[in-house]
Amino acid sequence: MASSPSYLLLPVGSASGKSLSASHLVLSNVRAQAPIVRCLSCKRTRKYSNGLNLVTRRDMIGLLFGASSILLNSPYANGAGLPPAEKPILCDDACEKELENVPMVTTESGLQYKDIKVGGGPTPPVGFQVAANYVAMIPSGQIFDSSLEKGQPYIFRVGSGQVIKGLDEGILSMKVGGKRRLYIPGLLAFPKGLSSAPGRPRVAPSSPVVFDVSLEYIPGLEDEE
């Protein structure tokens, strides 16, 4: 029976033993009884029989550098080092630029908003269910929650205290088909705050937040029609 091949770390290039950079290391399938190990920092090649001889510190360093290079160049490592995919948003760069010229509206409660797009449908009555998409951010622009990432609008009874006060108030004056940016002060946001999570920043108690919202439809009104 033929002996199984042994896999060794060998530099690509000539067998002269010259030092090569770690990026030139590859896995090579070598059939040999006495494996040859090439060291990155050595000028000579060492031969070990039966794998029982002690390996010098210099040789071990060379092997470790070679192995780490292979791991860093693997598709898994490259994938882990890539920046996270962009999260879906309701207001892109062109929208942000247009918002600079949109007047700010301030209500008596302290809520502020800018209309990204004024809708053409009905305004939701208090207590009716609404279906809305939203992207929730801290003032720096980091997203901490989004219905777009969940793949479906959020349905709740508007004006019934099922969401934070600023979101309730902001949607009550919207029309179906509209999009709006809400600048919600701390008193109308999250009294207890929100803890951080992987990919989600912390929201401090009673701190201001920003919501981009789009009013998709009002199930109750559509059913009556």
Side-chain angles (χ1 to χ4, degrees):
M1 179 181 296
S3 59
S4 59
S6 57
Y7 293 87
L8 305 174
L9 294 176
L10 294 176
V12 178
S14 66
S16 62
K18 293 183 179 179
S19 175
L20 297 176
S21 65
S23 62
H24 291 134
L25 289 176
V26 296
L27 280 173
S28 177
N29 184 354
V30 180
R31 296 179 181 274
Q33 294 298 325
I36 296 176
V37 180
R38 296 192 185 279
C39 173
L40 293 177
S41 58
C42 306
K43 293 186 178 180
R44 62 186 180 278
T45 299
R46 298 180 183 272
K47 185 173 183 180
Y48 302 97
S49 59
N50 300 324
L52 298 178
N53 291 20
L54 294 177
V55 181
T56 66
R57 181 181 300 177
R58 182 176 296 178
D59 289 339
M60 286 301 297
I61 292 174
L63 288 174
L64 289 174
F65 274 121
S68 63
S69 173
I70 291 174
L71 292 176
L72 289 174
N73 289 325
S74 71
Y76 301 102
N78 288 337
L82 291 176
E86 291 187 5
K87 296 184 177 182
I89 55 178
L90 288 173
C91 188
D92 57 17
D93 291 340
C95 166
E96 294 285 356
K97 190 171 183 180
E98 291 179 5
L99 271 182
E100 295 177 2
N101 300 318
V102 175
M104 181 79 78
V105 177
T106 303
T107 69
E108 292 182 1
S109 67
L111 174 70
Q112 294 182 310
Y113 66 83
K114 289 185 176 185
D115 280 315
I116 299 171
K117 175 187 175 183
V118 177
T123 297
V126 174
F128 270 63
Q129 282 191 330
V130 296
N133 275 311
Y134 67 89
V135 176
M137 302 165 281
I138 59 176
S140 66
Q142 288 181 281
I143 297 174
F144 64 85
D145 195 11
S146 171
S147 67
L148 299 181
E149 294 181 28
K150 300 176 177 69
Q152 59 184 6
Y154 181 59
I155 298 178
F156 65 98
R157 292 193 180 276
V158 69
S160 301
Q162 293 183 352
V163 295
I164 59 174
K165 295 178 180 179
L167 183 58
D168 247 349
E169 181 184 344
I171 287 184
L172 274 171
S173 58
M174 290 180 68
K175 295 181 178 181
V176 171
K179 292 182 182 181
R180 177 175 287 182
R181 173 162 292 179
L182 304 173
Y183 301 88
I184 302 176
L187 292 177
L188 303 179
F190 300 93
K192 297 182 180 180
L194 296 173
S195 58
S196 61
R200 188 184 78 183
R202 174 178 176 270
V203 178
S206 298
S207 62
V209 292
V210 178
F211 272 70
D212 285 348
V213 294
S214 63
L215 183 54
E216 303 297 334
Y217 58 92
I218 305 174
L221 291 184
E222 289 184 353
D223 292 342
E224 291 178 4
E225 294 176 358

